[in-house]
Amino acid sequence: MNPYPAIRKVFQGVASRPQMFRMFDRHLQRPNRWEDDATPLYNGEWFEILPPLWICGSMFAMREFLTGSVTSVFFALRIDEAIRYFHGYCDLSHKASVETMRLAIIERESRPVRVLTRAERLEHIWSSTADDFRGYAGERWPEASRGKRTVMIYGGKDGTVLKLLEGLSDDEIAAKLPVQLRHLPSPIAA
C-alpha cells in the first residue's frame, strides 16, 4: 500500500498564465511519459493562481489573460439533462462575448444528430496534429498563402507533403481524422 503523498507547494508566488499552463504539465520531460503512471508525480502538488475575474452562476473567467482582453472562461452547462463542462476563450472587451459563446456551445452540442462541419473537421485536425507536423506558411509560400496554417499529410508515392490546412481534400481530411469521426455526416447531409 502506498502512503498518501505529501501535499506540497510547487511554485512560489502567484503563477502567471504561461506559468500556470506550464505547471499543469510540469513533468512533461519525464522518461517513459506515455508508458508509466504519473499519479505519484502530480498527486498532492498545488500552486496559487489569481482568483477568477468573475463568477456568474455556473461560469467563471480567469484573471490571467491569454492576450489583450481574451481570457479563459469555464462553463458548466446542462445539455440533454446532463451537466457537461466546457472551456472557451472570450474577448471580455465585448460585453456579449461570454453569453454568445454559452449559447453557441448549447446550440452546437444540442444537435439531434452528431454531425461535423468541414470547418470543425479542419479544427479537429489542427488541434490533434503534433506540433512537429503542423505550422504556418512562411516565405517559401506564395504571398497569398503566407501565415495560413499548414499540416503534413501522407501523399502516397510522393511521401509526406506539406499542405495548407484549408486546402485539404475530403479524402485527405478523412485520412487525418480518427476512425470514429471519419464517417460522421456534415450538416448539409444530415
Side-chain angles (χ1 to χ4, degrees):
M1 179 178 191
N2 292 342
Y4 193 78
I7 305 297
R8 60 209 178 276
K9 185 175 184 177
V10 297
F11 185 82
Q12 299 302 313
V14 178
S16 67
R17 182 181 192 87
Q19 291 165 333
M20 176 180 67
F21 282 102
R22 211 170 57 243
M23 297 301 291
F24 286 161
D25 199 5
R26 70 190 211 102
H27 301 291
L28 173 74
Q29 304 294 331
R30 71 183 180 276
N32 304 320
R33 180 174 186 201
W34 304 112
E35 298 169 15
D36 66 341
D37 179 13
T39 300
L41 292 173
Y42 290 97
N43 194 11
E45 292 185 350
W46 67 273
F47 58 94
E48 185 177 3
I49 63 171
L50 291 170
L53 187 59
W54 53 260
I55 298 175
C56 180
S58 60
M59 300 183 295
F60 71 91
M62 298 295 291
R63 188 171 297 276
E64 297 87 356
F65 288 89
L66 176 63
T67 181
S69 54
V70 174
T71 193
S72 292
V73 177
F74 295 86
F75 302 85
L77 302 173
R78 181 175 297 279
I79 298 174
D80 297 332
E81 303 308 314
I83 300 291
R84 294 171 55 194
Y85 302 90
F86 301 90
H87 167 268
Y89 289 114
C90 294
D91 184 346
L92 298 185
S93 70
H94 301 287
K95 293 185 192 286
S97 68
V98 173
E99 182 64 10
T100 300
M101 171 138 340
R102 186 185 74 79
L103 292 173
I105 292 169
I106 292 170
E107 187 277 327
R108 170 60 183 93
E109 294 300 309
S110 298
R111 292 181 188 163
V113 177
R114 193 158 173 224
V115 298
L116 282 177
T117 65
R118 177 181 170 82
E120 289 171 332
R121 292 169 199 263
L122 293 175
E123 289 301 335
H124 184 83
I125 289 168
W126 179 256
S127 296
S128 60
T129 299
D131 290 345
D132 289 345
F133 301 99
R134 69 179 188 177
Y136 293 88
E139 292 184 14
R140 294 183 180 186
W141 289 79
E143 184 75 34
S145 297
R146 291 181 190 162
K148 292 184 178 181
R149 297 182 292 178
T150 61
V151 292
M152 294 290 287
I153 63 161
Y154 176 66
K157 65 181 183 228
D158 296 328
T160 57
V161 179
L162 187 62
K163 287 192 74 173
L164 290 177
L165 179 67
E166 66 188 33
L168 294 179
S169 70
D170 289 343
D171 288 341
E172 291 166 336
I173 290 170
K176 293 284 286 179
L177 286 173
V179 173
Q180 71 272 19
L181 299 178
R182 288 181 185 166
H183 303 293
L184 292 177
S186 67
I188 297 165

